[in-house]
Amino acid sequence: MGSMSLHYAGIDSAITDLEAHSKTMHDAMTSLAEYLKGKINVELQGDFSVAAGQLATTLQNADGQMTGKIVAAHQALTEIRNVIKDADMRASSHFDHVQG
């Protein structure tokens, strides 16, 4: 492979980081939402219970939206990596052919 392999290796690293951070954020949001739901009508009553329920729902909605954006970012990074890798392979093949 040519020198561009470092570029798509960096993109591979970005994809891995994105997946790891996504999982961490998802786990944290899910944990907090479940915690809040567990407190509704147990420790939290009335307006506090309603607020906790609304916050838990908001967290679930935000998690769903975040997941969608992360999937789109993952796909975009994968496409970029594939284009760079393809260009690198073509360039390597061309230079190998030219150098004979």
Side-chain angles (χ1 to χ4, degrees), residues 44-77:
L44 300 171
Q45 301 292 323
D47 290 343
F48 293 110
S49 181
V50 171
Q54 290 172 339
L55 180 55
T57 299
T58 299
L59 286 169
Q60 287 177 324
N61 291 341
D63 185 50
Q65 292 173 354
M66 177 189 71
T67 299
K69 291 184 185 302
I70 288 170
V71 166
H74 188 283
Q75 290 171 339
L77 287 169

Side-chain angles (χ1 to χ4, degrees), residues 17-30 63 66 70:
D17 290 348
L18 178 67
E19 290 169 348
H21 292 303
S22 168
K23 181 176 179 354
T24 299
M25 289 171 39
H26 171 74
D27 291 348
M29 292 175 81
T30 300
D63 185 50
M66 177 189 71
I70 288 170

Side-chain angles (χ1 to χ4, degrees), residues 7-43:
H7 294 293
Y8 61 80
I11 293 173
D12 285 340
S13 178
I15 290 170
T16 301
D17 290 348
L18 178 67
E19 290 169 348
H21 292 303
S22 168
K23 181 176 179 354
T24 299
M25 289 171 39
H26 171 74
D27 291 348
M29 292 175 81
T30 300
S31 176
L32 180 55
E34 289 174 5
Y35 172 81
L36 288 170
K37 287 179 182 178
K39 299 298 180 182
I40 294 172
N41 294 325
V42 176
E43 294 179 29

